[in-house]
């Protein structure tokens, strides 16, 4: 099979399409012929050497795929063979074939293309956990979605709209029109200006009940200040560190130094909460994730979950796909097709 290999840490030239042995499914697993694989910010950070959860290099990244079941391992119903599915993969998804345990595979809803299917697991499960499970977002509460035009951002917007929350989002100005058409109530340009005064102005100086922040570093300080009483902040990434080579290491260090420290007494007296989410550390919580998945599939059926694929890059153009996201050009999901 052909697979996208991150050969070592570095710039996009470390990415290669190589031939690897076909995997075969073990007990309780299925072999999937990949039609589309999700590209996530984590894959970029991994290539830059800034993603501690990534496998040892050389490696095949890829947390999610949509495709067709090609073979079933022992103890797996043979009726699954030939079915279109979506799967969470603990790496290895950016290849023509991948093996996943049955617990991480679900049937692809008919109305989704394979490319849209590959845009579901990481973005929507992360957004669900942040907004619903941990963030407890309610109707009429205010939510600030950072990078609202990105993969997780658009997923969060779908879910927040369904809940009936008032939505505020930061994004590059070029994405604002699209975001408003998707239902974002207030779009804020956060590039080259302080977004906090703008948000406070929009909320009568109160702030919002929920902020989800994948930027890290000093952004977490600002996001915490954006919370009104009973507000919660979900931290789930460190995009601020993104860069190749020594620049990335320095940015990561800066983000760590600038990250706020939260004292329990300050949280108590501020009536505020802070929580963290890392979907990549949920592999042993399959039952919880399965419940979230059911809710997401219900949302697809009911039409309020609308995965938006910006671009599909062929495997051979994986370097362009990485560059596209690093240059902040993506609105929604980028997928890779064999
Ligand atoms: N903890 C978890 O479980 C989890 C799961 C999924 C994703 N995440 C995190 O969530 C964030 C979004 O992930 P995603 O896959 O959905 O990516 P994405 O948002 O689709 O793509 C990146 C977008 O982030 C914005 N951005 C902010 N800082 C950036 C930087 N330094 N370099 C490039 N772009 C930057 C850009 O949009 P603007 O136009 O807004 O600048 C860009 O288009 C990432 O930090 C990722 O690591 C965490």
């Amino acid at each position: 099979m052909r697979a996208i290999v991150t050969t070592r840490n570095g710039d996009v030239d470390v990415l290669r399409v190589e031939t690897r042995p076909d995997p075969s499914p073990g007990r309780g697993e299925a072999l999937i012929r990949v039609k589309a694989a999700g590209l996530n910010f984590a894959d970029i950070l991994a290539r830059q050497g800034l993603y501690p959860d990534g496998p040892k290099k050389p490696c095949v990244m890829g947390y999610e795929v949509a495709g067709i079941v090609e073979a079933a391992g022992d103890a797996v119903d043979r009726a699954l063979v030939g079915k279109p599915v979506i799967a969470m993969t603990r790496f290895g998804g950016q290849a023509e074939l991948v093996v996943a345990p049955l617990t991480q595979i679900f049937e692809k809803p008919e109305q989704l293309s394979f490319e849209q299917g590959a845009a579901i697991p990481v973005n929507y499960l992360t957004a669900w956990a942040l907004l619903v499970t941990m963030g407890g977002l309610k109707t009429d509460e205010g939510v600030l979605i950072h990078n609202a035009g990105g993969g997780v951002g658009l997923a969060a917007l779908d879910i927040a709209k369904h809940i009936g929350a008032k939505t505020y989002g930061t994004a590059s100005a070029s994405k604002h029109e699209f975001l408003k058409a998707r239902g974002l109530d207030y779009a804020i340009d956060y590039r080259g200006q302080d977004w906090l005064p703008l948000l406070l102005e929009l909320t009568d100086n109160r702030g919002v009940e929920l902020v989800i922040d994948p930027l890290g570093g000093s952004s977490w300080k600002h996001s915490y200040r954006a919370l009104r009483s009973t507000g919660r902040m979900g931290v789930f990434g460190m995009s601020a560190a993104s860069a190749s080579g020594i620049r990335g290491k320095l940015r990561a260090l800066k983000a760590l130094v600038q990250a706020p420290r939260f004292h329990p007494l300050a949280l108590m007296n501020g009536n505020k909460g802070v929580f963290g989410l890392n979907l990549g550390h949920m592999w042993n919580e399959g039952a919880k994730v399965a419940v979230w998945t059911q809710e997401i599939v219900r949302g697809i059926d009911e039409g309020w979950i609308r995965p938006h694929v910006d671009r599909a890059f062929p495997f051979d153009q994986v370097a362009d796909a990485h560059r596209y996201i690093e240059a902040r050009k993506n609105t929604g999901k980028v997928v890779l097709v064999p």
Side-chain angles (χ1 to χ4, degrees), residues 40-41 45 122-123 126 147 150-152 170-172 175 190-191 214-215 236-239 242 277-279 325-326 328 330 332:
N40 288 294
F41 209 79
L45 292 174
V122 174
N123 289 167
T126 301
N147 306 141
V152 175
T170 63
S172 298
K175 301 175 189 177
Y190 75 126
R191 306 269 306 272
L215 291 155
F236 67 108
M238 270 266 191
S239 305
S242 173
L277 175 88
N278 188 341
L279 192 66
I325 295 181
E326 284 181 86
R328 302 170 185 251
N330 68 305

PDB file of all heavy atoms in Angstrom, residues 40-41 45 122-123 126 147 150-152 170-172 175 190-191 214-215 236-239 242 277-279 325-326 328 330 332, ligand 1:
ATOM      1  N   ASN A  40      -5.077  16.803  10.372  1.00  0.00           N
ATOM      2  CA  ASN A  40      -5.329  17.612  11.573  1.00  0.00           C
ATOM      3  C   ASN A  40      -4.117  18.450  11.936  1.00  0.00           C
ATOM      4  O   ASN A  40      -2.995  18.144  11.525  1.00  0.00           O
ATOM      5  CB  ASN A  40      -5.712  16.693  12.739  1.00  0.00           C
ATOM      6  CG  ASN A  40      -7.100  16.129  12.559  1.00  0.00           C
ATOM      7  OD1 ASN A  40      -8.088  16.855  12.581  1.00  0.00           O
ATOM      8  ND2 ASN A  40      -7.188  14.830  12.318  1.00  0.00           N
ATOM      9  N   PHE A  41      -4.369  19.479  12.735  1.00  0.00           N
ATOM     10  CA  PHE A  41      -3.273  20.342  13.179  1.00  0.00           C
ATOM     11  C   PHE A  41      -2.217  19.514  13.925  1.00  0.00           C
ATOM     12  O   PHE A  41      -1.025  19.798  13.861  1.00  0.00           O
ATOM     13  CB  PHE A  41      -3.810  21.457  14.072  1.00  0.00           C
ATOM     14  CG  PHE A  41      -2.986  22.707  14.001  1.00  0.00           C
ATOM     15  CD1 PHE A  41      -3.127  23.581  12.933  1.00  0.00           C
ATOM     16  CD2 PHE A  41      -2.052  22.996  14.981  1.00  0.00           C
ATOM     17  CE1 PHE A  41      -2.349  24.729  12.858  1.00  0.00           C
ATOM     18  CE2 PHE A  41      -1.275  24.133  14.909  1.00  0.00           C
ATOM     19  CZ  PHE A  41      -1.425  25.014  13.843  1.00  0.00           C
ATOM     20  N   LEU A  45       1.903  19.632  13.857  1.00  0.00           N
ATOM     21  CA  LEU A  45       2.761  19.772  15.047  1.00  0.00           C
ATOM     22  C   LEU A  45       3.692  18.554  15.166  1.00  0.00           C
ATOM     23  O   LEU A  45       4.859  18.691  15.545  1.00  0.00           O
ATOM     24  CB  LEU A  45       1.908  19.911  16.310  1.00  0.00           C
ATOM     25  CG  LEU A  45       1.090  21.206  16.425  1.00  0.00           C
ATOM     26  CD1 LEU A  45       0.182  21.163  17.647  1.00  0.00           C
ATOM     27  CD2 LEU A  45       2.003  22.436  16.515  1.00  0.00           C
ATOM     28  N   VAL A 122     -12.449  13.577  14.534  1.00  0.00           N
ATOM     29  CA  VAL A 122     -11.635  14.433  15.410  1.00  0.00           C
ATOM     30  C   VAL A 122     -12.339  15.761  15.688  1.00  0.00           C
ATOM     31  O   VAL A 122     -12.485  16.188  16.844  1.00  0.00           O
ATOM     32  CB  VAL A 122     -10.223  14.668  14.821  1.00  0.00           C
ATOM     33  CG1 VAL A 122      -9.456  15.670  15.663  1.00  0.00           C
ATOM     34  CG2 VAL A 122      -9.460  13.355  14.738  1.00  0.00           C
ATOM     35  N   ASN A 123     -12.797  16.421  14.631  1.00  0.00           N
ATOM     36  CA  ASN A 123     -13.386  17.759  14.815  1.00  0.00           C
ATOM     37  C   ASN A 123     -14.647  17.717  15.661  1.00  0.00           C
ATOM     38  O   ASN A 123     -14.802  18.496  16.608  1.00  0.00           O
ATOM     39  CB  ASN A 123     -13.711  18.392  13.456  1.00  0.00           C
ATOM     40  CG  ASN A 123     -12.466  18.807  12.692  1.00  0.00           C
ATOM     41  OD1 ASN A 123     -12.519  19.112  11.522  1.00  0.00           O
ATOM     42  ND2 ASN A 123     -11.318  18.802  13.352  1.00  0.00           N
ATOM     43  N   THR A 126     -14.179  16.292  19.380  1.00  0.00           N
ATOM     44  CA  THR A 126     -13.500  17.307  20.205  1.00  0.00           C
ATOM     45  C   THR A 126     -14.485  18.420  20.563  1.00  0.00           C
ATOM     46  O   THR A 126     -14.600  18.816  21.730  1.00  0.00           O
ATOM     47  CB  THR A 126     -12.302  17.901  19.424  1.00  0.00           C
ATOM     48  OG1 THR A 126     -11.413  16.840  19.086  1.00  0.00           O
ATOM     49  CG2 THR A 126     -11.559  18.941  20.240  1.00  0.00           C
ATOM     50  N   ASN A 147     -10.550  30.475  16.540  1.00  0.00           N
ATOM     51  CA  ASN A 147     -10.307  29.835  15.234  1.00  0.00           C
ATOM     52  C   ASN A 147     -11.604  29.200  14.722  1.00  0.00           C
ATOM     53  O   ASN A 147     -11.634  28.048  14.306  1.00  0.00           O
ATOM     54  CB  ASN A 147      -9.223  28.747  15.318  1.00  0.00           C
ATOM     55  CG  ASN A 147      -7.937  29.258  15.916  1.00  0.00           C
ATOM     56  OD1 ASN A 147      -7.287  28.571  16.683  1.00  0.00           O
ATOM     57  ND2 ASN A 147      -7.568  30.500  15.591  1.00  0.00           N
ATOM     58  N   GLY A 150     -11.786  27.157  11.513  1.00  0.00           N
ATOM     59  CA  GLY A 150     -11.011  25.924  11.344  1.00  0.00           C
ATOM     60  C   GLY A 150     -11.898  24.692  11.462  1.00  0.00           C
ATOM     61  O   GLY A 150     -13.128  24.797  11.563  1.00  0.00           O
ATOM     62  N   GLY A 151     -11.264  23.527  11.459  1.00  0.00           N
ATOM     63  CA  GLY A 151     -12.016  22.273  11.512  1.00  0.00           C
ATOM     64  C   GLY A 151     -12.819  22.141  12.803  1.00  0.00           C
ATOM     65  O   GLY A 151     -14.043  21.986  12.777  1.00  0.00           O
ATOM     66  N   VAL A 152     -12.132  22.222  13.940  1.00  0.00           N
ATOM     67  CA  VAL A 152     -12.841  22.126  15.228  1.00  0.00           C
ATOM     68  C   VAL A 152     -13.779  23.325  15.376  1.00  0.00           C
ATOM     69  O   VAL A 152     -14.902  23.196  15.878  1.00  0.00           O
ATOM     70  CB  VAL A 152     -11.845  22.073  16.416  1.00  0.00           C
ATOM     71  CG1 VAL A 152     -12.598  22.098  17.741  1.00  0.00           C
ATOM     72  CG2 VAL A 152     -10.970  20.828  16.336  1.00  0.00           C
ATOM     73  N   THR A 170     -13.442  34.049  16.881  1.00  0.00           N
ATOM     74  CA  THR A 170     -12.284  34.738  16.309  1.00  0.00           C
ATOM     75  C   THR A 170     -11.838  33.968  15.072  1.00  0.00           C
ATOM     76  O   THR A 170     -11.915  32.732  15.035  1.00  0.00           O
ATOM     77  CB  THR A 170     -11.099  34.821  17.296  1.00  0.00           C
ATOM     78  OG1 THR A 170     -10.647  33.494  17.600  1.00  0.00           O
ATOM     79  CG2 THR A 170     -11.473  35.543  18.573  1.00  0.00           C
ATOM     80  N   ALA A 171     -11.398  34.713  14.075  1.00  0.00           N
ATOM     81  CA  ALA A 171     -10.911  34.087  12.832  1.00  0.00           C
ATOM     82  C   ALA A 171     -10.250  35.162  11.978  1.00  0.00           C
ATOM     83  O   ALA A 171     -10.522  36.357  12.163  1.00  0.00           O
ATOM     84  CB  ALA A 171     -12.069  33.472  12.055  1.00  0.00           C
ATOM     85  N   SER A 172      -9.418  34.735  11.033  1.00  0.00           N
ATOM     86  CA  SER A 172      -8.882  35.669  10.043  1.00  0.00           C
ATOM     87  C   SER A 172     -10.053  36.333   9.328  1.00  0.00           C
ATOM     88  O   SER A 172     -11.070  35.677   9.059  1.00  0.00           O
ATOM     89  CB  SER A 172      -8.036  34.930   9.009  1.00  0.00           C
ATOM     90  OG  SER A 172      -6.937  34.312   9.620  1.00  0.00           O
ATOM     91  N   LYS A 175     -12.340  34.924   6.544  1.00  0.00           N
ATOM     92  CA  LYS A 175     -13.287  33.826   6.811  1.00  0.00           C
ATOM     93  C   LYS A 175     -14.613  34.320   7.394  1.00  0.00           C
ATOM     94  O   LYS A 175     -15.536  33.538   7.592  1.00  0.00           O
ATOM     95  CB  LYS A 175     -12.642  32.812   7.778  1.00  0.00           C
ATOM     96  CG  LYS A 175     -11.352  32.219   7.229  1.00  0.00           C
ATOM     97  CD  LYS A 175     -10.620  31.297   8.199  1.00  0.00           C
ATOM     98  CE  LYS A 175      -9.251  30.942   7.628  1.00  0.00           C
ATOM     99  NZ  LYS A 175      -8.429  30.116   8.512  1.00  0.00           N
ATOM    100  N   TYR A 190      -8.972  38.594  15.027  1.00  0.00           N
ATOM    101  CA  TYR A 190      -8.017  38.584  16.153  1.00  0.00           C
ATOM    102  C   TYR A 190      -6.573  38.716  15.686  1.00  0.00           C
ATOM    103  O   TYR A 190      -5.664  38.708  16.503  1.00  0.00           O
ATOM    104  CB  TYR A 190      -8.187  37.290  16.963  1.00  0.00           C
ATOM    105  CG  TYR A 190      -7.619  36.051  16.290  1.00  0.00           C
ATOM    106  CD1 TYR A 190      -6.709  35.225  16.941  1.00  0.00           C
ATOM    107  CD2 TYR A 190      -8.000  35.691  14.994  1.00  0.00           C
ATOM    108  CE1 TYR A 190      -6.201  34.091  16.334  1.00  0.00           C
ATOM    109  CE2 TYR A 190      -7.497  34.566  14.368  1.00  0.00           C
ATOM    110  CZ  TYR A 190      -6.602  33.768  15.043  1.00  0.00           C
ATOM    111  OH  TYR A 190      -6.092  32.650  14.437  1.00  0.00           O
ATOM    112  N   ARG A 191      -6.370  38.862  14.370  1.00  0.00           N
ATOM    113  CA  ARG A 191      -5.006  38.935  13.854  1.00  0.00           C
ATOM    114  C   ARG A 191      -4.522  40.375  13.946  1.00  0.00           C
ATOM    115  O   ARG A 191      -5.125  41.274  13.390  1.00  0.00           O
ATOM    116  CB  ARG A 191      -4.963  38.477  12.393  1.00  0.00           C
ATOM    117  CG  ARG A 191      -5.567  37.103  12.131  1.00  0.00           C
ATOM    118  CD  ARG A 191      -4.563  35.978  12.234  1.00  0.00           C
ATOM    119  NE  ARG A 191      -3.390  36.158  11.413  1.00  0.00           N
ATOM    120  CZ  ARG A 191      -3.306  35.761  10.126  1.00  0.00           C
ATOM    121  NH1 ARG A 191      -4.319  35.205   9.537  1.00  0.00           N
ATOM    122  NH2 ARG A 191      -2.186  35.937   9.469  1.00  0.00           N
ATOM    123  N   PRO A 214      -7.674  26.817  21.689  1.00  0.00           N
ATOM    124  CA  PRO A 214      -6.606  25.896  21.300  1.00  0.00           C
ATOM    125  C   PRO A 214      -5.287  26.603  21.014  1.00  0.00           C
ATOM    126  O   PRO A 214      -4.376  26.011  20.446  1.00  0.00           O
ATOM    127  CB  PRO A 214      -7.155  25.303  20.001  1.00  0.00           C
ATOM    128  CG  PRO A 214      -7.840  26.461  19.359  1.00  0.00           C
ATOM    129  CD  PRO A 214      -8.352  27.352  20.472  1.00  0.00           C
ATOM    130  N   LEU A 215      -5.193  27.892  21.364  1.00  0.00           N
ATOM    131  CA  LEU A 215      -4.002  28.661  20.995  1.00  0.00           C
ATOM    132  C   LEU A 215      -2.882  28.515  22.008  1.00  0.00           C
ATOM    133  O   LEU A 215      -1.716  28.375  21.670  1.00  0.00           O
ATOM    134  CB  LEU A 215      -4.381  30.134  20.814  1.00  0.00           C
ATOM    135  CG  LEU A 215      -5.263  30.376  19.587  1.00  0.00           C
ATOM    136  CD1 LEU A 215      -6.104  31.620  19.740  1.00  0.00           C
ATOM    137  CD2 LEU A 215      -4.432  30.449  18.333  1.00  0.00           C
ATOM    138  N   PHE A 236      -7.393  23.270  24.837  1.00  0.00           N
ATOM    139  CA  PHE A 236      -7.250  21.986  24.124  1.00  0.00           C
ATOM    140  C   PHE A 236      -6.179  22.022  23.039  1.00  0.00           C
ATOM    141  O   PHE A 236      -6.168  21.147  22.167  1.00  0.00           O
ATOM    142  CB  PHE A 236      -8.610  21.542  23.562  1.00  0.00           C
ATOM    143  CG  PHE A 236      -9.175  22.410  22.462  1.00  0.00           C
ATOM    144  CD1 PHE A 236      -9.209  21.940  21.152  1.00  0.00           C
ATOM    145  CD2 PHE A 236      -9.680  23.670  22.724  1.00  0.00           C
ATOM    146  CE1 PHE A 236      -9.736  22.718  20.122  1.00  0.00           C
ATOM    147  CE2 PHE A 236     -10.202  24.463  21.704  1.00  0.00           C
ATOM    148  CZ  PHE A 236     -10.224  23.985  20.403  1.00  0.00           C
ATOM    149  N   GLY A 237      -5.269  22.986  23.082  1.00  0.00           N
ATOM    150  CA  GLY A 237      -4.222  22.987  22.070  1.00  0.00           C
ATOM    151  C   GLY A 237      -3.189  24.062  22.307  1.00  0.00           C
ATOM    152  O   GLY A 237      -3.298  24.853  23.259  1.00  0.00           O
ATOM    153  N   MET A 238      -2.183  24.053  21.465  1.00  0.00           N
ATOM    154  CA  MET A 238      -1.045  24.989  21.575  1.00  0.00           C
ATOM    155  C   MET A 238      -0.635  25.447  20.191  1.00  0.00           C
ATOM    156  O   MET A 238       0.546  25.405  19.841  1.00  0.00           O
ATOM    157  CB  MET A 238       0.143  24.248  22.201  1.00  0.00           C
ATOM    158  CG  MET A 238       0.223  24.303  23.683  1.00  0.00           C
ATOM    159  SD  MET A 238       1.278  25.671  24.189  1.00  0.00           S
ATOM    160  CE  MET A 238       1.449  25.281  25.903  1.00  0.00           C
ATOM    161  N   SER A 239      -1.621  25.901  19.397  1.00  0.00           N
ATOM    162  CA  SER A 239      -1.292  26.333  18.029  1.00  0.00           C
ATOM    163  C   SER A 239      -0.219  27.409  18.029  1.00  0.00           C
ATOM    164  O   SER A 239       0.525  27.541  17.048  1.00  0.00           O
ATOM    165  CB  SER A 239      -2.529  26.901  17.335  1.00  0.00           C
ATOM    166  OG  SER A 239      -3.582  26.004  17.351  1.00  0.00           O
ATOM    167  N   SER A 242       3.265  26.603  16.815  1.00  0.00           N
ATOM    168  CA  SER A 242       3.504  26.038  15.482  1.00  0.00           C
ATOM    169  C   SER A 242       4.609  26.738  14.692  1.00  0.00           C
ATOM    170  O   SER A 242       4.514  27.917  14.367  1.00  0.00           O
ATOM    171  CB  SER A 242       2.196  26.101  14.680  1.00  0.00           C
ATOM    172  OG  SER A 242       2.427  25.714  13.352  1.00  0.00           O
ATOM    173  N   LEU A 277      -8.975  19.368  27.587  1.00  0.00           N
ATOM    174  CA  LEU A 277      -9.437  18.201  26.831  1.00  0.00           C
ATOM    175  C   LEU A 277      -8.357  17.754  25.856  1.00  0.00           C
ATOM    176  O   LEU A 277      -7.783  18.580  25.144  1.00  0.00           O
ATOM    177  CB  LEU A 277     -10.701  18.526  26.024  1.00  0.00           C
ATOM    178  CG  LEU A 277     -11.097  17.326  25.148  1.00  0.00           C
ATOM    179  CD1 LEU A 277     -12.000  16.381  25.894  1.00  0.00           C
ATOM    180  CD2 LEU A 277     -11.697  17.726  23.836  1.00  0.00           C
ATOM    181  N   ASN A 278      -8.077  16.448  25.858  1.00  0.00           N
ATOM    182  CA  ASN A 278      -7.203  15.867  24.842  1.00  0.00           C
ATOM    183  C   ASN A 278      -7.858  14.575  24.357  1.00  0.00           C
ATOM    184  O   ASN A 278      -7.827  13.562  25.045  1.00  0.00           O
ATOM    185  CB  ASN A 278      -5.814  15.591  25.418  1.00  0.00           C
ATOM    186  CG  ASN A 278      -4.843  15.163  24.327  1.00  0.00           C
ATOM    187  OD1 ASN A 278      -5.258  14.730  23.242  1.00  0.00           O
ATOM    188  ND2 ASN A 278      -3.559  15.266  24.594  1.00  0.00           N
ATOM    189  N   LEU A 279      -8.488  14.658  23.191  1.00  0.00           N
ATOM    190  CA  LEU A 279      -9.200  13.501  22.631  1.00  0.00           C
ATOM    191  C   LEU A 279      -8.239  12.313  22.457  1.00  0.00           C
ATOM    192  O   LEU A 279      -8.653  11.163  22.580  1.00  0.00           O
ATOM    193  CB  LEU A 279      -9.814  13.888  21.277  1.00  0.00           C
ATOM    194  CG  LEU A 279     -10.812  12.918  20.675  1.00  0.00           C
ATOM    195  CD1 LEU A 279     -12.074  12.823  21.512  1.00  0.00           C
ATOM    196  CD2 LEU A 279     -11.160  13.319  19.245  1.00  0.00           C
ATOM    197  N   ILE A 325      -2.675  24.644   5.543  1.00  0.00           N
ATOM    198  CA  ILE A 325      -3.164  24.872   6.921  1.00  0.00           C
ATOM    199  C   ILE A 325      -2.215  25.807   7.672  1.00  0.00           C
ATOM    200  O   ILE A 325      -2.654  26.711   8.389  1.00  0.00           O
ATOM    201  CB  ILE A 325      -3.339  23.532   7.678  1.00  0.00           C
ATOM    202  CG1 ILE A 325      -4.447  22.695   7.018  1.00  0.00           C
ATOM    203  CG2 ILE A 325      -3.661  23.781   9.153  1.00  0.00           C
ATOM    204  CD1 ILE A 325      -4.724  21.356   7.680  1.00  0.00           C
ATOM    205  N   GLU A 326      -0.911  25.578   7.492  1.00  0.00           N
ATOM    206  CA  GLU A 326       0.054  26.437   8.213  1.00  0.00           C
ATOM    207  C   GLU A 326      -0.093  27.899   7.811  1.00  0.00           C
ATOM    208  O   GLU A 326       0.158  28.800   8.606  1.00  0.00           O
ATOM    209  CB  GLU A 326       1.487  25.963   7.941  1.00  0.00           C
ATOM    210  CG  GLU A 326       1.847  24.717   8.721  1.00  0.00           C
ATOM    211  CD  GLU A 326       3.282  24.273   8.448  1.00  0.00           C
ATOM    212  OE1 GLU A 326       4.189  24.778   9.127  1.00  0.00           O
ATOM    213  OE2 GLU A 326       3.476  23.448   7.548  1.00  0.00           O
ATOM    214  N   ARG A 328      -2.825  29.274   7.250  1.00  0.00           N
ATOM    215  CA  ARG A 328      -4.151  29.655   7.764  1.00  0.00           C
ATOM    216  C   ARG A 328      -5.158  29.828   6.637  1.00  0.00           C
ATOM    217  O   ARG A 328      -6.117  30.603   6.767  1.00  0.00           O
ATOM    218  CB  ARG A 328      -4.070  30.972   8.562  1.00  0.00           C
ATOM    219  CG  ARG A 328      -3.110  30.927   9.736  1.00  0.00           C
ATOM    220  CD  ARG A 328      -2.930  32.321  10.301  1.00  0.00           C
ATOM    221  NE  ARG A 328      -1.928  32.358  11.352  1.00  0.00           N
ATOM    222  CZ  ARG A 328      -2.191  32.537  12.627  1.00  0.00           C
ATOM    223  NH1 ARG A 328      -3.426  32.661  13.031  1.00  0.00           N
ATOM    224  NH2 ARG A 328      -1.224  32.591  13.518  1.00  0.00           N
ATOM    225  N   ASN A 330      -7.088  27.463   5.327  1.00  0.00           N
ATOM    226  CA  ASN A 330      -8.243  26.561   5.338  1.00  0.00           C
ATOM    227  C   ASN A 330      -9.435  27.166   6.052  1.00  0.00           C
ATOM    228  O   ASN A 330      -9.327  27.788   7.091  1.00  0.00           O
ATOM    229  CB  ASN A 330      -7.867  25.227   6.002  1.00  0.00           C
ATOM    230  CG  ASN A 330      -7.580  25.349   7.486  1.00  0.00           C
ATOM    231  OD1 ASN A 330      -6.740  26.133   7.891  1.00  0.00           O
ATOM    232  ND2 ASN A 330      -8.295  24.607   8.292  1.00  0.00           N
ATOM    233  N   GLY A 332     -12.537  25.335   7.468  1.00  0.00           N
ATOM    234  CA  GLY A 332     -13.035  23.979   7.678  1.00  0.00           C
ATOM    235  C   GLY A 332     -11.952  22.950   7.431  1.00  0.00           C
ATOM    236  O   GLY A 332     -10.762  23.233   7.574  1.00  0.00           O
TER     237      GLY A 332
HETATM  238  N1  LIG B   1      -7.011  18.479  22.406  1.00  0.00           N
HETATM  239  C1  LIG B   1      -7.649  17.862  21.435  1.00  0.00           C
HETATM  240  O1  LIG B   1      -8.233  16.797  21.628  1.00  0.00           O
HETATM  241  C2  LIG B   1      -7.671  18.480  20.064  1.00  0.00           C
HETATM  242  C3  LIG B   1      -8.355  17.854  19.019  1.00  0.00           C
HETATM  243  C4  LIG B   1      -8.388  18.487  17.774  1.00  0.00           C
HETATM  244  C5  LIG B   1      -7.728  19.692  17.584  1.00  0.00           C
HETATM  245  N2  LIG B   1      -7.063  20.244  18.619  1.00  0.00           N
HETATM  246  C6  LIG B   1      -6.383  21.539  18.453  1.00  0.00           C
HETATM  247  O2  LIG B   1      -7.325  22.452  17.963  1.00  0.00           O
HETATM  248  C7  LIG B   1      -6.690  23.392  17.112  1.00  0.00           C
HETATM  249  C8  LIG B   1      -7.408  23.398  15.784  1.00  0.00           C
HETATM  250  O3  LIG B   1      -7.182  22.152  15.141  1.00  0.00           O
HETATM  251  P1  LIG B   1      -7.770  21.853  13.698  1.00  0.00           P
HETATM  252  O4  LIG B   1      -7.209  20.528  13.285  1.00  0.00           O
HETATM  253  O5  LIG B   1      -9.231  22.059  13.700  1.00  0.00           O
HETATM  254  O6  LIG B   1      -7.056  22.950  12.804  1.00  0.00           O
HETATM  255  P2  LIG B   1      -7.735  24.148  12.018  1.00  0.00           P
HETATM  256  O7  LIG B   1      -8.350  25.059  13.009  1.00  0.00           O
HETATM  257  O8  LIG B   1      -8.584  23.617  10.920  1.00  0.00           O
HETATM  258  O9  LIG B   1      -6.526  24.835  11.235  1.00  0.00           O
HETATM  259  C9  LIG B   1      -5.710  25.748  11.744  1.00  0.00           C
HETATM  260  C10 LIG B   1      -6.356  27.141  11.845  1.00  0.00           C
HETATM  261  O10 LIG B   1      -5.957  27.638  13.107  1.00  0.00           O
HETATM  262  C11 LIG B   1      -5.704  29.016  13.037  1.00  0.00           C
HETATM  263  N3  LIG B   1      -4.378  29.258  13.622  1.00  0.00           N
HETATM  264  C12 LIG B   1      -4.156  29.817  14.818  1.00  0.00           C
HETATM  265  N4  LIG B   1      -2.860  29.872  15.095  1.00  0.00           N
HETATM  266  C13 LIG B   1      -2.231  29.338  14.049  1.00  0.00           C
HETATM  267  C14 LIG B   1      -0.853  29.126  13.738  1.00  0.00           C
HETATM  268  N5  LIG B   1       0.115  29.468  14.587  1.00  0.00           N
HETATM  269  N6  LIG B   1      -0.550  28.553  12.566  1.00  0.00           N
HETATM  270  C15 LIG B   1      -1.505  28.189  11.713  1.00  0.00           C
HETATM  271  N7  LIG B   1      -2.819  28.371  11.955  1.00  0.00           N
HETATM  272  C16 LIG B   1      -3.176  28.934  13.110  1.00  0.00           C
HETATM  273  C17 LIG B   1      -5.851  29.404  11.576  1.00  0.00           C
HETATM  274  O11 LIG B   1      -7.123  30.000  11.437  1.00  0.00           O
HETATM  275  P3  LIG B   1      -7.372  31.579  11.666  1.00  0.00           P
HETATM  276  O12 LIG B   1      -7.835  32.069  10.363  1.00  0.00           O
HETATM  277  O13 LIG B   1      -8.410  31.613  12.750  1.00  0.00           O
HETATM  278  O14 LIG B   1      -6.086  32.191  12.110  1.00  0.00           O
HETATM  279  C18 LIG B   1      -5.829  28.104  10.819  1.00  0.00           C
HETATM  280  O15 LIG B   1      -6.611  28.129   9.653  1.00  0.00           O
HETATM  281  C19 LIG B   1      -5.220  22.984  17.070  1.00  0.00           C
HETATM  282  O16 LIG B   1      -4.520  23.686  18.058  1.00  0.00           O
HETATM  283  C20 LIG B   1      -5.262  21.511  17.428  1.00  0.00           C
HETATM  284  O17 LIG B   1      -4.055  21.042  17.940  1.00  0.00           O
HETATM  285  C21 LIG B   1      -7.012  19.659  19.830  1.00  0.00           C
END
